[in-house]
């Protein structure tokens, strides 16, 4: 079990029924520490370590990559939230 651990957690956060306040957060994690994060409210990557700052700078200079991450609010978050809400509403 000794070694390095890399993971990536993407999550969608919202509090209103109309999903207007939805935020997409994409965390890149190394050994339990977030080293770089994309937050749709900020609209770009933010680095939290030296390596994360380096990657954030490079990734923020790639318009295609930023556009793809920004699109996740609609493509991933809202799509799945609408399915979840309709499933809950249908069972009421």
């Amino acid at each position: 079990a000794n070694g390095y651990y890399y993971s990536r957690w993407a999550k969608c956060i919202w509090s209103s029924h109309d999903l207007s306040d939805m935020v997409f957060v994409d965390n890149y994690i190394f050994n339990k520490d977030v080293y770089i994060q994309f937050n749709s409210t900020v609209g770009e990557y933010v680095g939290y370590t030296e390596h994360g700052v380096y990657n954030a700078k490079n990734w923020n200079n790639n318009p295609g990559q930023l556009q793809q991450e920004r699109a996740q609010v609609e493509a991933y978050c809202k799509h799945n939230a609408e399915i979840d809400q309709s499933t809950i509403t249908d069972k009421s």
Side-chain angles (χ1 to χ4, degrees):
N2 293 333
Y4 299 102
Y5 300 96
Y6 170 81
S7 62
R8 183 176 173 189
W9 291 1
K11 58 185 170 184
C12 306
I13 304 166
W14 72 98
S15 60
S16 65
H17 184 69
D18 66 0
L19 309 179
S20 62
D21 63 344
M22 185 165 283
V23 177
F24 173 70
V25 179
D26 193 2
N27 291 308
Y28 295 77
I29 302 160
F30 183 73
N31 284 351
K32 300 180 183 178
D33 292 322
V34 174
Y35 70 95
I36 190 167
Q37 180 183 79
F38 178 86
N39 181 315
S40 64
T41 302
V42 176
E44 63 182 23
Y45 294 96
V46 176
Y48 296 102
T49 65
E50 184 178 347
H51 181 66
V53 170
Y54 174 81
N55 281 323
K57 182 180 176 185
N58 289 331
W59 296 354
N60 288 332
N61 287 325
N62 182 339
Q65 186 168 355
L66 280 178
Q67 182 180 10
Q68 186 176 3
E69 284 278 31
R70 290 174 182 152
Q72 293 304 307
V73 173
E74 294 293 328
Y76 176 71
C77 292
K78 287 188 179 177
H79 171 74
N80 288 316
E82 288 168 355
I83 292 170
D84 292 347
Q85 286 185 348
S86 68
T87 302
I88 292 167
T89 311
D90 290 348
K91 293 186 182 222
S92 299

